[in-house]
C-alpha cells in the first residue's frame, strides 16, 4: 500500500498524488457502505493495480483534521483571506466574518491586502495592521499588477494546504492564476461567464513550490455563522482569549457580565473596538438564528 493525497476527482475517478506521481484510482465499495465519500484533500492509502498505467484503488481514508463544505476539501491548514482597501472598499465586518469561519475550522490565518497598487499611502494598511495587531494573524499586502509582489504569499504556502477566501472582486482568481500559472475557473468567474451558479465544479488541489498545496476554488462562499455556538464565538477572536481567563465568570461571553476582563481590555484600548463591535454583532446574529 502507498500513502498519498487525493487531489482531484472526476466522474468516479480519484487522482491520488504519491511522491511526485499521480495514480488514477477507484474507491473501494466499502466506503459507500460506511457512508464516507472520498474528499479532495484526503490522505489515503492506495493499492496499486497497474504501476505502468498508474492505476490503483483507494483502500483507506485517513482521519480528517477538518473539512470544508463549499468547496468540499479536507485537511486544510491555512486560509489566505484576501481583501482590497479600495475597489472594492475594505469592510472589516466582512473580514471578521471570514476570520471567524477560518478560526472555526482551526486554520492559520493570513490577511492579504491586495491591489496595493491602488493605494497611494500606507495609512489604510497601517490601520488594518493596528486592528489585528494582537490577533497573531500575519498581514501582507500584494498586487497582481506588479511583478514580485506575490513573493510574500509564495513563501507562506510552503508545506501547507491553503485556501484563498474573500469577497468578490478583490483579486483572488488573479492571484491564484499567477501562483498556479494556469487559467482557473472560480465560482466568481462562472458568474462572469454567465454560467449557472449551481454548476457543479469540484475543487482541485494544486501543488505550489515543493510541498505546498492550494485549493483552486475560493473557500467560505457561505458566510453564515449559524453553525457556530454562541458560547464558542469569543474563542474565535484570539486576542480576547488571554483576557478571558480573568473574567469573573468562566462562562462569560463578555457582553453584560460584571467584572469582565475582556470589556476592561477594550476600555483600556488593548483590544480593538471594531473587533469587539463585530463580535457583538455576530453574537446577536447567531442568537437570532437559533430562535427559528
Ligand atoms: P476575484 O473575484 O476575487 O476572483 O477577483 P478577480 O481576480 O476576478 O479580480 C477582479 C478585478 O480586479 C479584475 O478586473 C482584476 O484585473 C483586478 N485586479 C486583481 N488584482 C489586482 C491588483 O492587484 N491591482 C489592481 N489594480 N487590480 C487588480
Ligand atoms: Zn468576559
Amino acid at each position: 500500500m502507498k500513502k498519498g493525497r487525493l487531489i482531484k476527482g472526476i466522474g468516479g475517478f480519484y487522482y491520488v498524488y504519491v511522491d511526485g506521481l499521480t495514480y488514477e484510482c477507484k474507491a473501494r465499495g466499502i466506503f459507500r457502505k460506511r457512508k464516507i465519500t472520498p474528499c479532495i484533500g484526503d490522505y489515503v492509502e492506495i493499492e496499486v493495480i497497474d504501476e505502468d498505467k498508474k492505476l490503483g484503488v483507494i483502500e483507506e481514508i485517513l482521519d480528517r483534521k477538518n473539512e470544508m463544505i463549499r468547496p468540499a476539501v479536507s485537511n486544510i491548514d491555512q486560509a489566505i483571506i484576501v481583501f482590497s482597501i479600495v475597489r472594492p472598499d475594505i469592510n472589516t465586518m466582512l473580514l471578521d466574518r471570514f476570520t471567524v469561519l477560518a478560526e472555526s475550522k482551526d486554520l492559520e490565518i493570513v490577511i492579504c491586502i491586495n491591489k496595493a497598487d491602488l493605494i497611494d499611502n500606507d495609512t489604510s494598511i497601517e490601520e488594518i495592521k493596528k486592528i489585528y495587531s494582537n490577533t497573531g494573524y500575519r498581514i501582507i499586502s500584494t498586487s497582481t499588477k506588479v511583478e514580485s509582489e506575490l513573493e510574500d504569499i509564495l513563501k507562506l504556502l510552503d508545506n501547507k494546504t491553503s485556501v484563498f477566501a474573500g469577497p468578490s472582486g478583490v483579486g483572488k482568481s488573479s492571484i491564484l492564476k499567477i501562483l498556479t500559472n494556469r487559467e482557473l475557473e472560480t465560482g466568481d468567474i462562472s458568474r462572469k461567464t454567465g454560467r449557472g451558479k449551481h454548476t457543479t465544479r469540484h475543487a482541485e488541489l494544486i501543488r505550489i513550490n515543493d510541498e505546498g498545496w492550494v485549493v483552486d476554488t475560493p473557500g467560505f462562499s457561505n458566510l453564515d455563522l449559524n453553525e457556530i455556538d454562541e458560547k464558542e464565538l469569543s474563542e474565535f477572536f484570539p486576542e480576547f482569549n488571554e483576557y478571558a481567563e480573568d473574567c469573573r465568570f468562566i462562562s462569560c461571553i463578555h457582553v453584560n457580565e460584571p467584572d469582565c476582563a475582556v470589556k476592561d481590555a477594550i476600555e483600556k484600548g488593548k483590544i480593538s473596538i471594531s473587533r469587539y463591535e463585530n463580535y457583538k454583532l455576530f453574537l446577536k446574529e447567531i442568537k437570532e438564528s437559533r430562535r427559528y
Side-chain angles (χ1 to χ4, degrees):
M1 291 249 260
K2 288 180 194 278
K3 200 183 151 198
R5 186 102 193 254
L6 175 48
I7 58 169
K8 184 165 84 163
I10 302 173
F13 288 103
Y14 297 102
Y15 295 84
V16 176
Y17 179 91
V18 183
D19 291 335
L21 302 169
T22 306
Y23 292 83
E24 184 182 89
C25 299
K26 291 234 175 200
R28 259 167 71 85
I30 182 99
F31 296 127
R32 230 170 304 140
K33 274 180 228 138
R34 278 157 59 190
K35 293 208 166 70
I36 342 173
T37 317
C39 174
I40 304 306
D42 280 350
Y43 291 100
V44 297
E45 283 177 352
I46 64 165
E47 191 74 69
V48 175
I49 304 287
D50 188 327
E51 189 62 64
D52 291 338
K53 294 188 182 146
K54 295 281 169 289
L55 301 177
V57 175
I58 298 178
E59 296 283 346
E60 199 56 70
I61 299 172
L62 307 184
D63 284 347
R64 293 169 186 156
K65 154 176 145 176
N66 57 24
E67 276 173 81
M68 214 163 58
I69 299 164
R70 248 185 294 153
V73 181
S74 65
N75 301 313
I76 310 154
D77 302 309
Q78 172 169 265
I80 316 262
I81 302 174
V82 186
F83 267 77
S84 55
I85 299 280
V86 291
R87 284 193 259 161
D89 287 351
I90 192 139
N91 174 338
T92 53
M93 191 270 279
L94 196 55
L95 175 48
D96 287 342
R97 215 174 265 278
F98 280 100
T99 61
V100 164
L101 286 165
E103 287 279 359
S104 74
K105 301 282 178 197
D106 206 15
L107 304 181
E108 280 179 54
I109 293 172
V110 175
I111 296 173
C112 168
I113 304 294
N114 190 40
K115 306 202 184 186
D117 55 293
L118 296 182
I119 40 178
D120 31 52
N121 61 52
D122 286 343
T123 52
S124 33
I125 290 188
E126 289 310 315
E127 271 169 41
I128 297 297
K129 284 190 175 156
K130 204 167 154 205
I131 294 176
Y132 295 91
S133 62
N134 50 0
T135 55
Y137 303 155
R138 198 187 281 261
I139 299 173
I140 55 174
S141 75
T142 56
S143 169
T144 60
K145 305 289 172 190
V146 185
E147 248 181 273
S148 84
E149 277 270 311
L150 292 180
E151 269 166 22
D152 281 352
I153 294 194
L154 259 178
K155 274 183 232 141
L156 297 174
L157 299 177
D158 268 345
N159 298 310
K160 284 186 187 133
T161 302
S162 304
V163 63
F164 282 77
S168 191
V170 296
K172 296 181 300 299
S173 8
S174 308
I175 294 173
L176 276 167
K177 197 172 132 186
I178 297 172
L179 292 177
T180 61
N181 228 330
R182 56 201 265 191
E183 216 47 63
L184 293 162
E185 212 180 340
T186 68
D188 294 347
I189 285 179
S190 73
R191 185 202 64 226
K192 289 170 200 158
T193 56
R195 274 228 259 136
K197 229 186 168 180
H198 299 289
T199 313
T200 325
R201 211 199 133 273
H202 297 293
E204 200 178 305
L205 288 188
I206 299 177
R207 224 162 101 90
I208 302 239
N209 301 347
D210 280 340
E211 280 306 324
W213 293 98
V214 286
V215 183
D216 72 339
T217 306
F220 302 118
S221 46
N222 178 359
L223 296 176
D224 264 354
L225 302 176
N226 302 352
E227 306 266 298
I228 290 167
D229 191 285
E230 59 184 81
K231 291 191 192 71
E232 216 176 29
L233 181 67
S234 75
E235 288 167 28
F236 301 149
F237 286 75
E239 73 272 41
F240 292 12
N241 292 339
E242 69 173 288
Y243 301 102
E245 44 195 59
D246 296 327
C247 291
R248 192 208 295 184
F249 300 104
I250 286 177
S251 60
C252 188
I253 57 166
H254 327 304
V255 181
N256 294 317
E257 297 90 338
D259 297 329
C260 168
V262 171
K263 278 194 286 175
D264 195 46
I266 289 150
E267 269 160 38
K268 291 187 177 132
K270 290 176 182 159
I271 291 175
S272 137
I273 291 175
S274 140
R275 292 273 289 166
Y276 182 61
E277 290 301 325
N278 290 335
Y279 165 72
K280 283 197 295 187
L281 185 79
F282 298 160
L283 194 64
K284 192 164 160 248
E285 197 177 300
I286 292 167
K287 278 185 175 159
E288 277 169 8
S289 76
R290 293 285 185 276
R291 262 195 246 145
Y292 302 103

